[in-house]
Amino acid sequence: MKEQLSKLIQLQKIDSEIARLKARKVSLPGEQEQLRVGIAAAEGRFDERKKELEDLNERHRACEKEMQKGSESLKRSKSRLLEVKKNDEYQATLKEIDTIERKNSAVEDEIINLLEEIDRRNTDLAADREHLETVRKQGEEKLRLLEKDAESIDAELESIVAGEREIRDGLDPDVLRRYDLLRERRNGSAVVPVWNEVCSGCHMNIPPQLYIELRKYEKLHICPNCNRIMYWENRADEH
Ligand SMILES: [Zn+2]
């Protein structure tokens, strides 16, 4: 029975590993997709900020043109002022000059504000670019690792399944049937270690007498609480 028990322990470890690998295989595409979405989102945010800065630059260029036109029309009005003879015409031109000057001054203010904003955004964008590069680099590195994982899982599963078959062949059919039934009913864990009188399957205490029996390793013992096959695991050895 000692040999059967040790084979059962091995089988449980292998089956748990197979379950882990299969779950990993299922979750990998989602993880990869999440990374891709994360990178694309960072790129999207950066492009948006870049576009905003381009718009500001565009607005700045338009203001400069307006400013140029404004100063030309101011020049024209001022030279007309020297030519007009009648007083009402003179007053009208003065008023015109005043209007142009006000407008020019407003455009000038906007240019100053725009330049400050552009300056600030340029600094921010440089930091954003650096951040994006980091996100991209780290994301792509993780993607490469996940890709490698995905490639190796099938080969790993194949070799583990071969080992599983070998162990199954060496087990008593009755023991194996019990194991499979338990595994199905107990969410994949049929054989569990016990240490310090506590079953690691259900976390309940087992009777002291049973614990003593368990340490002898002589027959298959079943947890009185969760019905799993138990074995004594000396965790005091782990340091
Ligand atoms: Zn138990």
Side-chain angles (χ1 to χ4, degrees):
M1 206 30 87
K2 211 173 205 162
E3 194 212 334
Q4 292 285 300
L5 181 59
S6 89
K7 277 192 174 146
L8 271 179
I9 294 167
Q10 276 184 66
L11 184 59
Q12 176 67 73
K13 280 180 181 160
I14 287 174
D15 280 341
S16 298
E17 180 64 3
I18 289 173
R20 189 189 70 80
L21 286 171
K22 281 183 176 168
R24 180 104 187 99
K25 204 176 160 177
V26 169
S27 73
L28 268 176
E31 281 176 47
Q32 286 168 317
E33 183 56 20
Q34 215 175 354
L35 275 169
R36 286 193 200 99
V37 167
I39 294 171
E43 283 169 345
R45 275 195 300 276
F46 178 76
D47 289 345
E48 212 172 281
R49 286 177 193 141
K50 205 169 136 196
K51 174 74 173 58
E52 282 168 9
L53 181 58
E54 278 162 11
D55 290 347
L56 286 171
N57 277 316
E58 182 66 33
R59 176 79 196 126
H60 176 236
R61 279 191 292 275
C63 280
E64 290 287 0
K65 262 186 206 156
E66 215 179 320
M67 192 68 205
Q68 176 122 28
K69 268 200 249 166
S71 69
E72 276 161 16
S73 80
L74 186 64
K75 225 187 277 172
R76 275 199 304 276
S77 297
K78 277 184 174 170
S79 64
R80 200 159 60 240
L81 198 62
L82 302 172
E83 291 160 12
V84 291
K85 305 277 189 299
K86 289 178 189 162
N87 188 43
D88 57 344
E89 250 183 276
Y90 186 81
Q91 290 304 327
T93 310
L94 269 185
K95 210 173 164 193
E96 195 182 280
I97 288 172
D98 185 52
T99 307
I100 295 169
E101 276 176 340
R102 274 172 208 269
K103 202 181 156 211
N104 284 356
S105 158
V107 174
E108 221 169 37
D109 284 349
E110 191 177 355
I111 288 175
I112 289 165
N113 287 338
L114 276 168
L115 284 176
E116 277 175 5
E117 180 74 8
I118 286 168
D119 205 33
R120 198 164 53 233
R121 298 277 190 125
N122 263 322
T123 310
D124 287 352
L125 197 71
D128 287 346
R129 183 175 283 118
E130 224 169 279
H131 175 70
L132 174 64
E133 281 313 310
T134 310
V135 168
R136 204 185 257 154
K137 219 168 133 190
Q138 287 174 349
E140 278 165 4
E141 178 61 25
K142 279 183 197 156
L143 272 173
R144 260 195 300 278
L145 289 175
L146 289 182
E147 193 59 45
K148 262 169 115 183
D149 261 15
E151 281 166 13
S152 65
I153 276 181
D154 283 330
E156 230 175 303
L157 268 171
E158 213 172 296
S159 82
I160 286 179
V161 166
E164 185 204 19
R165 268 195 300 272
E166 202 176 303
I167 289 177
R168 279 183 168 270
D169 288 346
L171 270 164
D172 183 84
D174 286 337
V175 172
L176 196 55
R177 244 196 311 280
R178 197 160 163 191
Y179 167 83
D180 283 332
L181 197 66
L182 261 172
R183 203 160 64 90
E184 204 185 301
R185 291 188 181 163
R186 291 286 178 271
N187 206 20
S189 86
V191 182
V192 292
V194 175
W195 170 242
N196 267 347
E197 297 183 12
V198 175
C199 165
S200 71
C202 60
H203 307 289
M204 300 289 278
N205 272 81
I206 60 162
Q209 187 54 41
L210 185 54
Y211 192 63
I212 290 165
E213 286 295 313
L214 209 57
R215 293 178 64 158
K216 290 183 192 159
Y217 236 74
E218 275 167 358
K219 57 182 279 224
L220 292 189
H221 288 285
I222 301 297
C223 171
N225 185 58
C226 68
N227 290 328
R228 289 181 175 97
I229 298 161
M230 303 185 293
Y231 66 95
W232 181 65
E233 187 178 69
N234 187 0
R235 295 198 183 162
D237 286 349
E238 296 172 5
H239 287 296

